[in-house]
């Protein structure tokens, strides 16, 4: 498991008009923001090479959430010890990473770089989402957003 980021890797939050020039754009049209190379810097807390680590990643799936304060320690343990490693192992996942927006909300961001968008919602993905620990921690989520992004062609 690769838990180190490349020295040049970073993920930043872009909002509104800035999103039009980002490296990725939302494909489902829900939010007015995107993730790219410039914007509000986020702190990487964990990155894991995925099952498709050597493939191109034209898709990026982002899950943002806050969590009830009394569940924060368990939430972080669940994400680091079970959830992120298991989703990284799903076929089609190039890399899975966790990020922290220390000053914003939602505070926690998970980023899944994907070779194919169908990895999200695939049977192996759904098995990971259905673990007993996942079922116990998910009700503590607040302010959750899930967005699929596609890399812009330049």
């Amino acid at each position: 498991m690769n838990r180190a980021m490349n020295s040049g890797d970073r993920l930043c939050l872009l909002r509104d008009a800035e999103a039009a020039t980002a490296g990725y754009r939302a494909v489902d049209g829900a939010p007015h923001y995107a993730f790219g190379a410039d914007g509000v810097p986020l702190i990487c807390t964990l990155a894991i090479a995925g099952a498709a680590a050597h493939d191109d990643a034209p898709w990026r799936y982002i899950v943002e959430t806050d969590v009830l304060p009394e569940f924060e320690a368990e939430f972080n343990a669940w994400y680091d010890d079970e959830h992120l490693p298991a989703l990284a192992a799903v076929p089609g996942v190039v890399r899975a990473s966790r990020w922290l927006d220390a000053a914003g909300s939602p505070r926690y961001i998970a980023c899944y770089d994907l070779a194919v968008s169908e990895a999200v919602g695939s049977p192996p993905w759904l098995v990971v989402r259905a673990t007993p620990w996942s079922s116990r921690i998910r009700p503590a989520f607040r302010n959750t957003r899930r967005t699929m992004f596609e890399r812009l062609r330049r």
Side-chain angles (χ1 to χ4, degrees), residues 4-143:
M5 297 292 290
N6 295 328
S7 60
D9 287 348
R10 59 189 205 146
L11 188 68
C12 296
L13 178 62
L14 303 172
R15 298 192 188 277
D16 300 323
E18 297 171 327
T21 61
Y24 287 83
R25 68 170 169 80
V27 296
D28 60 10
H32 297 288
Y33 60 88
F35 285 82
D38 299 311
V40 177
L42 304 174
I43 301 162
C44 182
T45 61
L46 178 62
I48 303 171
H54 299 292
D55 291 351
D56 185 38
W59 301 96
R60 178 168 280 173
Y61 181 62
I62 301 287
V63 179
E64 305 167 84
T65 196
D66 290 316
V67 66
L68 293 172
E70 60 269 24
F71 285 90
E72 197 156 11
E74 183 178 7
F75 168 82
N76 285 310
W78 164 75
Y79 236 120
D80 289 350
D81 298 339
E82 177 183 280
H83 199 64
L84 201 73
L87 287 178
V90 169
V93 176
V94 175
R95 183 173 67 182
S97 55
R98 290 193 66 206
W99 301 79
L100 177 65
D101 182 349
S105 178
R107 178 179 169 91
Y108 295 101
I109 296 105
C111 175
Y112 304 93
D113 291 326
L114 308 169
V116 293
S117 63
E118 295 82 10
V120 174
S122 68
W125 186 279
L126 295 177
V127 165
V128 173
R129 288 185 42 89
T131 68
W133 201 0
S134 294
S135 297
R136 188 172 66 246
I137 200 70
R138 194 166 285 110
F141 286 16
R142 297 294 181 269
N143 196 25

